[in-house]
Amino acid sequence: MEFARAELVSAVTPIEPLPNLSALLGIDLHIKRDDLAGTTMGGNKSRQLEYYLGAAQAAHADTVLITGAVQSNFVRTAAASAAKLGMKTIVQLEARVPDVDALYGSNGNVLLSRLLGAEVMYYPSGEDEAGADAALRERAAQERQAGRTPYVIPLALGNPPLGALGYMRAAEEILQQDSAFDVVVIASGSGLTHAGMLAGLRAVGHSARVIGSCVRRDAQQQRKRIRTVLDALAELTAHASQVGDDDIMIWDEALTPGYGQLGPPAAEAMAMMARTEGLVLDPVYTAKVFAAVPALVESGEITKGSRVLFVHTGGLASLFAYQSALENAFPHG
């Protein structure tokens, strides 16, 4: 089956060695710079949006509606990508993170979404995916009555996981660059990036372990979600049917204290990457993902000498909304 694709990632993102961390950890560590993918601070969501916005174009949509957390990179990247394609964007921001300050609600991705011309609406719950999708569809109906042609990018399970196709493509891209990795460490949130990478590798018979680091749910919940996404993805493409339950590897020890909150493992990972390789991670996704690498080396789950690829999925815009948390984690002096 062919799927419409809007070309948002026009160049191959590099794979770079991390020599200092490799020496420190005793592994051969590389980084896939998907923080450079797409437009306006980029990230993995650009690859997912190629298929959602491709479908929107095929439907002749002029308005895109999307939901996510207040500091969602997905909604900000959707606003940027839709602007590039000449579409209006309505972003719905969900209250997922407790005890936030004023900066969280106004800086980072929120500020960029407004700059990009997105209309912002709000949803009071951060744990009601079906309800958030229903609110978008209700608003889409209003847009339709006003003479526009809306396209909803859904969040909840039960919708075709078009975004996962983007990371099946990313898996192909990685293998064309370098196919000799033993382990791939990647974010596991909505499940589209993780499931797509896993399905893409297995589709061509590559046996690298794909370890998803949880950014929103614990390991038990996330394992079920990845299985559900993979089963739905297999309905879109037979290439996704090669993934067994044993292939779904989940790590959640940096999730604490919860989604969108900076805990000690993530803060330590941010410091390690910044001070060893000069690369910055964000507190919501990539710091929690990279935290898996030294922890799994220490536990022996990633053996010394392994060739490891860490997928940097971007998200740096949200950094500027976390000033208070970062100042607490890295005090002056």
Side-chain angles (χ1 to χ4, degrees):
M1 184 184 300
E2 292 293 325
F3 296 92
R5 173 177 163 252
E7 187 174 329
L8 304 173
V9 184
S10 58
V12 172
T13 61
I15 292 176
E16 300 172 353
L18 297 175
N20 300 327
L21 280 171
S22 293
L24 179 67
L25 298 173
I27 58 176
D28 184 10
L29 181 62
H30 290 67
I31 184 170
K32 175 66 169 171
R33 295 292 307 275
D34 261 13
D35 56 311
L36 304 177
T39 184
T40 309
M41 302 189 82
N44 65 318
K45 305 303 185 184
S46 298
R47 294 189 186 272
Q48 296 182 21
L49 286 163
E50 287 195 315
Y51 288 91
Y52 288 118
L53 294 182
Q57 286 182 315
H60 304 290
D62 55 24
T63 304
V64 174
L65 299 94
I66 187 169
T67 191
V70 171
Q71 283 297 328
S72 169
N73 293 297
F74 202 5
V75 301
R76 181 262 305 164
T77 308
S81 301
K84 182 177 181 179
L85 298 175
M87 300 179 188
K88 172 186 173 182
T89 310
I90 300 172
V91 303
Q92 176 174 262
L93 304 183
E94 306 163 22
R96 289 187 196 169
V97 181
D99 303 322
V100 294
D101 60 17
L103 272 179
Y104 181 85
S106 61
N107 207 335
N109 283 310
V110 177
L111 178 61
L112 287 177
S113 292
R114 294 187 186 280
L115 175 62
L116 290 160
E119 179 183 336
V120 179
M121 55 187 280
Y122 292 90
Y123 192 73
S125 173
E127 298 301 330
D128 179 14
E129 292 185 341
D133 282 350
L136 281 189
R137 292 191 171 103
E138 181 179 344
R139 179 56 192 275
Q142 295 171 6
E143 292 294 305
R144 199 171 288 111
Q145 289 176 354
R148 302 189 68 87
T149 306
Y151 179 87
V152 171
I153 298 175
L155 177 64
L157 296 175
N159 296 288
L162 292 178
L165 298 170
Y167 263 83
M168 292 189 72
R169 278 182 62 88
E172 295 176 13
E173 181 177 298
I174 288 168
L175 296 179
Q176 290 169 1
Q177 293 171 281
D178 189 335
S179 63
F181 291 106
D182 305 306
V183 180
V184 177
V185 179
I186 198 164
S188 200
S190 70
L192 301 183
T193 297
H194 181 182
M197 177 64 70
L198 184 51
L201 292 176
R202 295 297 181 268
V204 295
H206 200 284
S207 61
R209 290 188 297 151
V210 178
I211 300 174
S213 182
C214 297
V215 299
R216 186 172 179 188
R217 303 166 189 84
D218 64 28
Q220 182 178 6
Q221 295 179 79
Q222 192 64 13
R223 186 171 287 106
K224 292 178 181 177
R225 188 178 184 97
I226 296 301
R227 181 72 268 168
T228 300
V229 173
L230 285 166
D231 290 344
L233 184 57
E235 295 180 9
L236 298 181
T237 170
H239 295 302
S241 62
Q242 307 300 316
V243 185
D245 289 345
D246 291 343
D247 286 318
I248 303 172
M249 300 180 181
I250 307 289
W251 184 84
D252 66 357
E253 292 179 28
L255 177 60
T256 184
Y259 173 81
Q261 300 171 75
L262 180 64
E268 291 167 11
M270 289 182 77
M272 179 182 287
M273 181 66 79
R275 296 169 185 177
T276 308
E277 296 288 354
L279 292 171
V280 177
L281 305 176
D282 82 284
V284 182
Y285 273 69
T286 51
K288 294 185 177 187
V289 179
F290 177 66
V293 177
L296 292 174
V297 170
E298 183 177 358
S299 71
E301 190 167 338
I302 295 178
T303 58
K304 295 285 186 177
S306 294
R307 204 150 188 274
V308 179
L309 180 66
F310 161 61
V311 182
H312 189 333
T313 52
L316 293 183
S318 68
L319 190 73
F320 302 102
Y322 281 84
Q323 180 176 333
S324 298
L326 293 169
E327 287 179 346
N328 289 333
F330 308 110
H332 301 292

